[in-house]
Amino acid sequence: MNIKNFIKISRKIFLVERVKNLLDLKIEIQKMKQERNAVILAHNYQLAEVQEVADYVGDSFYLSKIAANIENDVIVFCGVRFMAETAKILSPQKVVLLPEKDAGCPLAEMITADALRELKGEYPGVPVVCYVNSSAEVKAESDVCCTSSNALKVVASLPNHRVIFVPDGNLGNYIARQIPEKELILWQGHCVTHAKVKPEDVRMVRAQYPEAKFLIHPECHPAVVDLGDFVGSTSEIIRYAEHSDAKVFVIGTEIGVVCHLRTCLPNKQFFLLHSGLVCPNMKKTRLQSVYDALRHNQHEINVEESIARRAKSTLDRMLAAE
Ligand code: SF4
């Protein structure tokens, strides 16, 4: 056998083994799920193999609401740390597992509770709205939480003229421009993944697909957002694509949304706006990590009680505004 054939056959064997492995893991995960009375929640940005074993797939707001209302004993949260923390805060009596302990969100880590306390000191009495992409400690220091779907509604509902908005400066800027009657004090955090897109990328891709609708996430830079045909959260982008008469779309958010749309809407075409729209933290979770989480109870998320209590009030105010 020549070397070329040897490589070809080895690759085939590897692929067959991998598919068999994934199938075995899926069966084992289903068994473990029943044994432990567990539910698997997966964010839209997770790998397809993870989404396939999930009971619920959606954006962080949708998953937060699910976490608050389900009756299972164990929640396996396939996402990043702040999401699992949010689930634990909303369901303190349940065991919440984050399959990959290092799956964090750089945006959430761009502000600490100490830094927020300092900012609040500069603006006494000004309410704080925190994006759900924040730590439990930051939520505990805030007045009300929001997601990219309801940020405008939450900020607009506050009677105050001035509002502190943390930690996403791009989302804050997007909201501020829609309610000029309010003054938003913005923390300049950003999502390192969405920040990769530049306005010239949009112009270049638009020249390539002139008939396409450009659907952009507000975590992108304002100059990028301005070039979109539609701006919305992950779930709003999905809904827009489902209901639009257009056939070609360029998606300005994480690649997981493109994969989801291609599967759900095979008669439409979806392109990723920028090849860098891949969140490395969201891609850390594999099927093996989900299995290990259930099998070895790892990695259990706990939030200190006094922080959890205050963070829950912040989250409850957001859920009540819906
Ligand atoms: Fe955080 Fe951005 Fe990754 Fe979302 S896509 S988890 S905001 S780094």
Side-chain angles (χ1 to χ4, degrees):
M1 190 188 306
N2 67 26
I3 187 79
K4 249 187 182 169
N5 278 346
F6 176 75
I7 293 173
K8 223 166 147 186
I9 290 169
S10 305
R11 254 195 213 140
K12 245 187 200 161
I13 292 172
F14 172 79
L15 282 177
V16 170
E17 278 300 308
R18 166 125 179 93
V19 170
K20 189 180 166 303
N21 245 337
L22 289 180
L23 283 175
D24 288 349
L25 273 175
K26 280 182 186 171
I27 293 166
E28 287 307 312
I29 286 170
Q30 292 309 326
K31 276 195 214 155
M32 291 292 309
K33 234 173 63 175
Q34 288 203 339
E35 262 173 46
R36 300 207 56 193
N37 187 23
V39 65
I40 300 177
L41 310 184
H43 192 272
N44 294 113
Y45 298 172
Q46 290 288 295
L47 291 171
E49 65 184 48
V50 173
Q51 293 195 26
E52 278 162 20
V53 294
D55 299 286
Y56 299 92
V57 177
D59 64 11
S60 53
F61 183 48
Y62 168 75
L63 296 175
S64 301
K65 287 198 285 190
I66 298 287
N69 293 310
I70 43 170
E71 301 207 325
N72 303 68
D73 299 322
V74 177
I75 299 173
V76 181
F77 211 120
C78 303
V80 290
R81 180 164 290 267
F82 78 80
M83 295 176 181
E85 269 185 2
T86 303
K88 182 66 184 179
I89 292 163
L90 292 172
S91 305
Q93 72 290 1
K94 290 174 191 154
V95 171
V96 177
L97 304 174
L98 178 68
E100 283 294 329
K101 75 171 181 332
D102 296 329
C105 168
L107 166 60
E109 289 155 17
M110 283 182 192
I111 187 165
T112 61
D114 280 346
L116 179 53
R117 273 191 289 271
E118 205 173 300
L119 182 65
K120 281 164 60 174
E122 288 171 34
Y123 299 95
V126 175
V128 178
V129 175
C130 71
Y131 190 26
V132 70
N133 298 36
S134 53
S135 66
E137 290 81 2
V138 165
K139 287 186 179 77
E141 281 299 325
S142 303
D143 295 286
V144 55
C145 194
C146 74
T147 66
S148 45
S149 318
N150 63 18
L152 179 61
K153 196 169 162 185
V154 167
V155 175
S157 73
L158 296 171
N160 314 59
H161 166 66
R162 267 183 162 182
V163 176
I164 296 173
F165 190 94
V166 299
D168 189 345
N170 288 343
L171 176 62
N173 186 296
Y174 175 66
I175 301 303
R177 290 194 289 164
Q178 291 176 79
I179 35 174
E181 65 278 14
K182 290 205 187 275
E183 183 192 343
L184 263 69
I185 294 138
L186 303 179
W187 187 262
Q188 290 306 333
H190 62 273
C191 162
V192 289
T193 300
H194 286 86
K196 286 181 187 154
V197 187
K198 303 277 176 277
E200 47 275 27
D201 299 317
V202 184
R203 288 188 200 102
M204 200 178 70
V205 182
R206 212 182 259 287
Q208 234 175 311
Y209 303 107
E211 76 286 23
K213 289 277 181 211
F214 279 61
L215 317 184
I216 312 274
H217 196 284
E219 282 176 18
C220 289
H221 190 275
V224 170
V225 164
D226 283 347
L227 297 173
D229 297 304
F230 174 76
V231 182
S233 67
T234 304
S235 52
E236 287 166 337
I237 285 177
I238 293 171
R239 222 173 304 132
Y240 183 97
E242 281 167 353
H243 295 113
S244 167
D245 291 334
K247 293 281 178 237
V248 186
F249 301 86
V250 173
I251 305 298
T253 190
E254 216 272 348
I255 192 170
V257 174
V258 175
C259 300
H260 173 84
L261 287 168
R262 281 180 182 157
T263 310
C264 298
L265 302 171
N267 297 328
K268 296 184 176 184
Q269 280 185 292
F270 297 95
F271 300 99
L272 189 64
L273 174 55
H274 187 284
S275 60
L277 282 166
V278 181
C279 174
N281 283 287
M282 283 286 189
K283 304 301 188 229
K284 281 182 178 159
T285 310
R286 315 295 303 239
L287 218 46
Q288 184 68 49
S289 5
V290 179
Y291 173 77
D292 290 342
L294 281 163
R295 180 92 182 77
H296 306 294
N297 204 49
Q298 62 193 31
H299 301 275
E300 191 170 350
I301 297 294
N302 284 302
V303 181
E304 203 250 300
E305 209 199 312
S306 69
I307 290 171
R309 194 175 8 90
R310 288 160 59 217
K312 184 165 186 312
S313 306
T314 305
L315 285 160
D316 284 345
R317 278 182 216 114
M318 168 180 79
L319 294 170
E322 282 303 304

